[in-house]
Amino acid sequence: MSDNYRSREERRRAMNDNKPEGKSQGKPKKKKKGGLFRKIVAAVLLIGIIGLIAGVGTFFAMISDAPKVDDSVLKNSFSSKVYANDGKTVVKEIGAQKRTYVQYDEIPQVVKNAFIATEDVRFYKHHGVDFYRIGGALMANFKNGFGAEGGSTITQQVVKNSFLSPKKTVKRKVQEMWLAYQLERKYSKQQILEMYLNKIYFASGEVYGIERAAEKFYGVKSVKDLTLDEAAMLAGLPKAPTTYNPVTNPENATKRRNTVLNLMAKNGFITQAEADKAKQVDVQAHLAKQTESTSKYDVFIDQVIEEVKKKTDADPFSAGLEIYTTLDTNAQDYVDDVMNNKVVNFPNDKFQAGLVVVDNETGGIQAIGGGRNRVSGGLNFATNMRRQPGSTIKPILDYGPAIENLKWSTGQPIKDEEYHYSNGTPIRNFGRNYKGWVSAREALGRSLNIPALKAFQATGADKAKEFATGLGLKLDEEDGEAYSESYSIGGFRTGVTPLQMAGAYSAFANEGMYNAPHTVTKVKFPDGTEIDLTPKSKRAMQDYTAFMMTDMMKSVVNESYGTARAVRTPGLEIAGKTGTSNFSAAEKQRYNIPDAGEKDVWFNGFTPNYTISVWTGYETAKDGYILSANETGMAKNIFKHVITHISEGKPKGSFKQPDSVVERSVEKPTSKDLKRPSGSTPSSLITKEYFVRGTAPTKVSQTFVKKEKEEKKEDKKEDKKDNKKDVKPKITASYSGGAISVNWSASNAASDTTFTVTMSSPSGSEQLASGAGAGGKTISSPAPGATYSFTVTTNTGQSASSSVKVPDSSDQATEDDSTKPEDDGTTDDNQNEDNSNNDQNNGSDQGDDSSTQPDDNQNSNNGNNNGGNNSGNTDNNNNDSGNANNGNNGNNNNNGGTTTPPADNGGNDSGSQTPSTPATPSTPSTPATPQQEPTTEN
């Protein structure tokens, strides 16, 4: 039967087919557990294997072109060349000439322990790469970005500084790890630590290696002589040699040294008691005196080295680099001459200065003045020294942010008045006075503190911080405190450097674009790799802010109220800001410093091409204080000389007004609102200011329009009064042909002058006429022998009279038809005046008052009582002020009616005289002339 089937499988299938349909085939076959899980595991393993293969392949691909471990490179150094800004001139070649090699056995254990505790605590446990440390670095990089923290061991640092470029890439990191492993296979831990301690960079002035550092900082003959606190200080330096330099930055150095001591205690290299004892030692207590003088361009090259190390991690003294810089040798040579007393006369040897010259368009540093009488590795007053900036911070924290965020104009009104900080502390201007309403331009030009604080408050601390950060000033981070209102006038805890201020101010000149100030443009490595180190430009502010702030700072230089008029230079457009800072009360008391003594004096200024920040002062309070005119003006003096020199033979340029800015004429501020001038505004009160387009005022000021209307109205009133006073009525009466003819008129009569004419006769009084204008009347058939009197009175109160006698009938045959008026019958004001003057009592009552001078409240009014009837009378109308109006007593000899006007004593009326006034006639037939009031000013 078996022959009928080809296989057992066929026979099994046939047997199954022959089973009855109704019978169950038995229980269902159970599926094997875990089938899906096994598939997932298998897939993961497969992916892992593929990934491993790919990773291994990638790894070997990355290390395929890694350099070989070369003994000569590890122990020898290659010098680097530094080029000037022309890219051709080698200004210096720096190398290993200042390195003293020391063997491992000669290095004391305390020094080894200090470096291991700080740089690589698992140095003796790993094989070149510490994966525990890498894990921590990966977490930091994940949080803060790639390159935020390194996991390099001491072995990796030796490899990096000897063989690789400083690019922070995955490939370079992989090669670094591979070479570290190779280095550990070839050399012992002791040899690797020896290489590290002899190659490491400690300070400017080409200080490399532990032996050289011990000699430089502590003056010891051998590294064996270093104490625990000194070893800890040196171990803390490589992380940031300039920041933690105990010579120039003792505060930061102390913190860093103590951190190292804590790490040593934590990892069991010393006890906590030993650490605490070492912390008690002053970080500068054992420092050696720095006596090594600098050579040409060393100040600039120190900054170059600092930048190269910070940006590339490469060692300029051993990596054989070609370093291309921004150095302008002509500018640097001149700055060196300034620092060496060849251009300006410094007041004494301890007086210091620091300055930085920056190209506005690129941010490239052209020259650095690090200080006077500097030693190699000493304090650099241009790049390391931080001082309070005083009022030079106002464009950055006060007015700049206000224009940027609130669109203030250069004419923004601010009231300079008694004021205080938000916490109630008073704030004062330097002059202890107030200017009232001023423009932002004038407030900055005069360097007023109160308007600056108000500008800061208007914008807010957050916006001020944002603006300053955009200009490279991270003030709160460096000071360790939040922005406070005292920042508005430069009241920082620590301060800023001329390098920082030059960079910040250059953005104003560069239309709001900020370029971080720098000395290095690119670095070329021996393998041909080039790294571009030129910072990228970024917009720090709007172009309108930059232009308007620049124009305001031009007023600091050009206006009569400006504080920097001394820097004006023919042919150069200069803008800038002065600044000073004061000593604390404790410093004044301790060092006997007068109140007028100043601690720091700054001038930050710029042209369209260059920005220069200059600081002047003394290194410490015990060295001196700034007081004399020569000292206070030194910063401006230095700026003027340097900017003049570096601008010679170059296009001067100009600050260009952007389309976002308009110029408008406005009235000088007298309130919170700016207004356009009216046609009545005096030219002296009109000024031109800049506005962000669309924000210029449209309302026209009515201040002087109202005043003009009021003045015109007042003038009309006065004219009316004057006209009324000057109206002089006249009336004549004559008899002829049996009738009396009466005519009246008035001189200076106005259109609204009216006349009332009355007549007195034997039959009584009657009104002849009333109305405006001159006129006449005829009296027919008058009574013979009677006298007729006529009086004309104006609506202004003046009057005149005339009379005529009608002849008797017996007399008419001998009289002419035209009878003349009697001699005293017709009079006018002029006649009265003449008669009154001629009627004086000349000479009999002329008194001499020169021997008795009245006081400020008594004005002698010596007039003339006319008509001869009132001689010697006293007019006491002004008794309230003690003014006597005496008849003929006085110094006026009025022969012929001449009077002498009073002298103008500007309100002091002592001894003044008043013109004589005609007396009112005693007879009704003579018109009265208005009496003039005495001139009196109290």
Side-chain angles (χ1 to χ4, degrees), residues 466-474 507 510-516 535-541:
E466 180 182 330
F467 193 85
T469 301
L471 295 174
L473 298 177
K474 299 179 180 180
N510 195 32
E511 300 178 354
M513 299 302 296
Y514 174 73
N515 296 293
K536 293 182 179 179
S537 297
K538 64 177 183 178
R539 179 158 293 284
M541 68 190 87

Short mmCIF file of all heavy atoms in Angstrom, two decimals, residues 466-474 507 510-516 535-541:
data_model
loop_
_atom_site.label_atom_id
_atom_site.label_comp_id
_atom_site.label_asym_id
_atom_site.label_seq_id
_atom_site.Cartn_x
_atom_site.Cartn_y
_atom_site.Cartn_z
N GLU A 466 16.66 94.81 27.07
CA GLU A 466 16.63 94.25 25.72
C GLU A 466 17.47 95.08 24.75
O GLU A 466 18.21 94.54 23.92
CB GLU A 466 15.17 94.18 25.24
CG GLU A 466 14.98 93.61 23.85
CD GLU A 466 13.53 93.62 23.43
OE1 GLU A 466 12.64 93.52 24.31
OE2 GLU A 466 13.26 93.74 22.22
N PHE A 467 17.35 96.38 24.87
CA PHE A 467 18.10 97.28 23.98
C PHE A 467 19.60 97.15 24.24
O PHE A 467 20.40 97.05 23.31
CB PHE A 467 17.65 98.72 24.22
CG PHE A 467 18.10 99.70 23.17
CD1 PHE A 467 17.39 99.88 22.01
CD2 PHE A 467 19.26 100.45 23.36
CE1 PHE A 467 17.80 100.79 21.04
CE2 PHE A 467 19.69 101.35 22.40
CZ PHE A 467 18.96 101.52 21.24
N ALA A 468 19.99 97.13 25.51
CA ALA A 468 21.41 97.02 25.86
C ALA A 468 21.99 95.67 25.45
O ALA A 468 23.13 95.59 24.96
CB ALA A 468 21.60 97.24 27.36
N THR A 469 21.22 94.62 25.63
CA THR A 469 21.69 93.29 25.24
C THR A 469 21.96 93.22 23.74
O THR A 469 22.92 92.60 23.31
CB THR A 469 20.64 92.22 25.64
OG1 THR A 469 20.42 92.28 27.05
CG2 THR A 469 21.12 90.84 25.27
N GLY A 470 21.12 93.88 22.97
CA GLY A 470 21.33 93.92 21.52
C GLY A 470 22.61 94.63 21.13
O GLY A 470 23.13 94.45 20.02
N LEU A 471 23.14 95.43 22.05
CA LEU A 471 24.39 96.15 21.81
C LEU A 471 25.57 95.49 22.52
O LEU A 471 26.62 96.10 22.67
CB LEU A 471 24.24 97.60 22.27
CG LEU A 471 23.22 98.44 21.50
CD1 LEU A 471 23.05 99.81 22.14
CD2 LEU A 471 23.63 98.60 20.05
N GLY A 472 25.38 94.26 22.93
CA GLY A 472 26.49 93.51 23.52
C GLY A 472 26.70 93.73 25.00
O GLY A 472 27.72 93.28 25.54
N LEU A 473 25.77 94.40 25.68
CA LEU A 473 25.93 94.68 27.11
C LEU A 473 24.96 93.83 27.92
O LEU A 473 23.79 94.15 28.04
CB LEU A 473 25.68 96.17 27.39
CG LEU A 473 26.62 97.16 26.71
CD1 LEU A 473 26.20 98.58 27.03
CD2 LEU A 473 28.05 96.93 27.14
N LYS A 474 25.45 92.74 28.47
CA LYS A 474 24.64 91.87 29.32
C LYS A 474 24.92 92.25 30.76
O LYS A 474 25.60 91.53 31.49
CB LYS A 474 24.96 90.41 29.04
CG LYS A 474 24.66 90.00 27.60
CD LYS A 474 24.99 88.53 27.33
CE LYS A 474 24.69 88.15 25.90
NZ LYS A 474 25.01 86.73 25.62
N ALA A 507 27.16 101.00 16.80
CA ALA A 507 25.89 100.65 16.17
C ALA A 507 25.06 101.89 15.86
O ALA A 507 24.29 101.91 14.90
CB ALA A 507 25.10 99.69 17.07
N ASN A 510 26.32 103.07 12.65
CA ASN A 510 26.18 102.10 11.57
C ASN A 510 24.71 101.82 11.28
O ASN A 510 24.35 100.68 10.95
CB ASN A 510 26.90 100.80 11.95
CG ASN A 510 27.10 99.89 10.75
OD1 ASN A 510 27.27 100.33 9.63
ND2 ASN A 510 27.08 98.58 11.01
N GLU A 511 23.87 102.83 11.39
CA GLU A 511 22.45 102.75 11.04
C GLU A 511 21.72 101.66 11.81
O GLU A 511 20.77 101.04 11.32
CB GLU A 511 22.29 102.53 9.52
CG GLU A 511 22.90 103.65 8.70
CD GLU A 511 22.80 103.41 7.20
OE1 GLU A 511 22.34 102.31 6.82
OE2 GLU A 511 23.16 104.30 6.43
N GLY A 512 22.18 101.41 13.04
CA GLY A 512 21.49 100.46 13.90
C GLY A 512 21.97 99.03 13.80
O GLY A 512 21.47 98.15 14.50
N MET A 513 22.96 98.76 12.96
CA MET A 513 23.51 97.40 12.81
C MET A 513 24.69 97.22 13.78
O MET A 513 25.61 98.03 13.79
CB MET A 513 23.97 97.16 11.38
CG MET A 513 22.86 97.26 10.35
SD MET A 513 21.48 96.10 10.64
CE MET A 513 22.32 94.53 10.43
N TYR A 514 24.61 96.16 14.57
CA TYR A 514 25.66 95.89 15.56
C TYR A 514 26.61 94.80 15.07
O TYR A 514 26.19 93.73 14.64
CB TYR A 514 25.04 95.46 16.88
CG TYR A 514 26.06 95.01 17.92
CD1 TYR A 514 26.87 95.95 18.57
CD2 TYR A 514 26.22 93.67 18.25
CE1 TYR A 514 27.80 95.55 19.52
CE2 TYR A 514 27.15 93.26 19.19
CZ TYR A 514 27.93 94.20 19.82
OH TYR A 514 28.86 93.81 20.75
N ASN A 515 27.90 95.11 15.13
CA ASN A 515 28.95 94.14 14.87
C ASN A 515 29.79 94.02 16.14
O ASN A 515 30.37 95.01 16.59
CB ASN A 515 29.84 94.59 13.71
CG ASN A 515 29.09 94.68 12.39
OD1 ASN A 515 28.64 93.69 11.84
ND2 ASN A 515 28.92 95.91 11.89
N ALA A 516 29.84 92.85 16.69
CA ALA A 516 30.63 92.66 17.91
C ALA A 516 32.07 93.06 17.63
O ALA A 516 32.66 92.62 16.64
CB ALA A 516 30.56 91.20 18.36
N PRO A 535 32.39 88.20 13.15
CA PRO A 535 31.01 88.12 13.68
C PRO A 535 30.00 88.57 12.63
O PRO A 535 30.28 89.42 11.79
CB PRO A 535 31.03 89.08 14.87
CG PRO A 535 32.47 89.26 15.22
CD PRO A 535 33.22 89.14 13.94
N LYS A 536 28.82 87.99 12.69
CA LYS A 536 27.76 88.37 11.78
C LYS A 536 27.06 89.63 12.28
O LYS A 536 26.82 89.79 13.48
CB LYS A 536 26.74 87.24 11.64
CG LYS A 536 27.30 85.99 10.96
CD LYS A 536 26.21 84.92 10.80
CE LYS A 536 26.77 83.69 10.10
NZ LYS A 536 25.74 82.62 9.95
N SER A 537 26.73 90.51 11.35
CA SER A 537 26.00 91.73 11.70
C SER A 537 24.58 91.39 12.11
O SER A 537 23.98 90.46 11.57
CB SER A 537 25.97 92.71 10.53
OG SER A 537 27.27 93.13 10.19
N LYS A 538 24.05 92.12 13.05
CA LYS A 538 22.66 91.95 13.44
C LYS A 538 22.06 93.31 13.74
O LYS A 538 22.75 94.24 14.15
CB LYS A 538 22.55 91.03 14.65
CG LYS A 538 23.19 91.58 15.91
CD LYS A 538 22.96 90.64 17.09
CE LYS A 538 23.54 91.21 18.38
NZ LYS A 538 23.28 90.33 19.54
N ARG A 539 20.77 93.40 13.51
CA ARG A 539 20.10 94.69 13.75
C ARG A 539 19.83 94.84 15.24
O ARG A 539 19.11 94.05 15.84
CB ARG A 539 18.80 94.80 12.95
CG ARG A 539 18.08 96.13 13.21
CD ARG A 539 17.13 96.49 12.10
NE ARG A 539 17.81 96.79 10.86
CZ ARG A 539 18.45 97.93 10.59
NH1 ARG A 539 18.52 98.88 11.53
NH2 ARG A 539 19.02 98.11 9.43
N ALA A 540 20.41 95.88 15.80
CA ALA A 540 20.24 96.15 17.23
C ALA A 540 19.13 97.15 17.49
O ALA A 540 18.56 97.18 18.59
CB ALA A 540 21.54 96.68 17.82
N MET A 541 18.81 97.98 16.47
CA MET A 541 17.77 99.00 16.63
C MET A 541 17.31 99.43 15.25
O MET A 541 17.98 99.16 14.24
CB MET A 541 18.31 100.20 17.41
CG MET A 541 19.37 100.98 16.66
SD MET A 541 20.22 102.24 17.65
CE MET A 541 21.54 101.25 18.36
#
